[in-house]
Amino acid sequence: MTIKQLERSIRAIADFPKEGILFRDITTLLGDKKAFNSAINLLAKPYKSKKIDVVVAVESRGFIFGAVLAYKLGCGFVMVRKKGKLPYKTYSVTYELEYGTDTLEIHQDAIARGARVLIVDDLLATGGTIKAVSDLVEQMSAKIIGVCFLIELVALSGRKKLKGLHIHSLIKF
């Protein structure tokens, strides 16, 4: 499938979750085996020769893409979760949201020093979440090879917060 065909497989819902927001619903892409398969193959393509050790993905939709990409790239998979959801010793980072803050955590033993890491999420919006995740990964002395997204909302300028990172996004709205 082409990128344009993938774009068309994503449903746009006006005024969700609140008025003035145009929500990009990926459930339609996920439910279409051809679209989902194509999206995974296109997301994985730039990283096939990069010798990725581990894919790090963000709760919760990032897990969908992260786990499949880890399988496709033949590497490990690490979850970054909201505070209090992981059972072992964690590193945490608190970051700014539009209204308030949030905290993400990763197990302290999840990534080996010097590991080659690909960070994955479904959507790049303002960049705050992935910036926080990249801070966690760097705290663990790992090397971020890239960050990838199914969708990038270009008008929200999330790339600005991710300077110095290689960014790969399939679909740009």
Side-chain angles (χ1 to χ4, degrees):
M1 291 183 86
T2 67
I3 299 297
K4 281 290 177 201
Q5 289 171 314
L6 287 176
E7 274 182 32
R8 288 193 294 271
S9 74
I10 297 169
R11 178 172 35 211
I13 301 174
D15 300 320
F16 183 84
K18 62 183 184 178
E19 193 170 328
I21 302 290
L22 181 61
F23 185 79
R24 303 298 180 164
D25 179 13
I26 64 169
T27 62
T28 47
L29 179 143
L30 296 172
D32 177 336
K33 67 182 176 185
K34 187 174 180 186
F36 186 44
N37 192 2
S38 293
I40 293 299
N41 287 333
L42 289 167
L43 284 169
K45 187 176 181 180
Y47 304 104
K48 284 191 176 233
S49 64
K50 301 289 184 186
K51 299 178 182 170
I52 303 295
D53 294 310
V54 67
V55 170
V56 173
V58 186
E59 187 171 342
S60 67
R61 290 179 304 241
F63 292 171
I64 297 165
F65 295 95
V68 178
L69 283 171
Y71 175 79
K72 185 98 177 152
L73 296 171
C75 63
F77 174 67
V78 173
M79 298 180 289
V80 173
R81 303 221 43 207
K82 294 187 186 223
K83 186 176 181 166
K85 299 288 185 179
L86 291 173
Y88 190 62
K89 297 176 201 166
T90 62
Y91 293 120
S92 66
V93 63
T94 299
Y95 64 103
E96 297 293 320
L97 297 170
E98 188 176 353
Y99 300 104
T101 62
D102 204 357
T103 301
L104 294 173
E105 295 181 328
I106 190 169
H107 278 145
Q108 289 180 6
D109 62 354
I111 302 173
R113 181 187 266 321
R116 298 172 59 82
V117 174
L118 174 62
I119 300 172
V120 178
D121 205 357
D122 67 318
L123 178 78
L124 173 59
T126 63
T129 301
I130 294 302
K131 174 64 174 121
V133 172
S134 70
D135 290 347
L136 283 172
V137 170
E138 288 171 353
Q139 179 181 348
M140 300 175 82
S141 300
K143 179 170 178 49
I144 300 171
I145 302 305
V147 293
C148 71
F149 307 91
L150 175 67
I151 298 171
E152 179 177 352
L153 302 178
V154 178
L156 297 179
S157 303
R159 283 178 180 255
K160 288 182 182 177
K161 285 190 181 159
L162 306 177
K163 285 188 176 164
L165 296 175
H166 175 268
I167 300 168
H168 172 55
S169 53
L170 284 188
I171 300 166
K172 296 180 173 90
F173 289 116

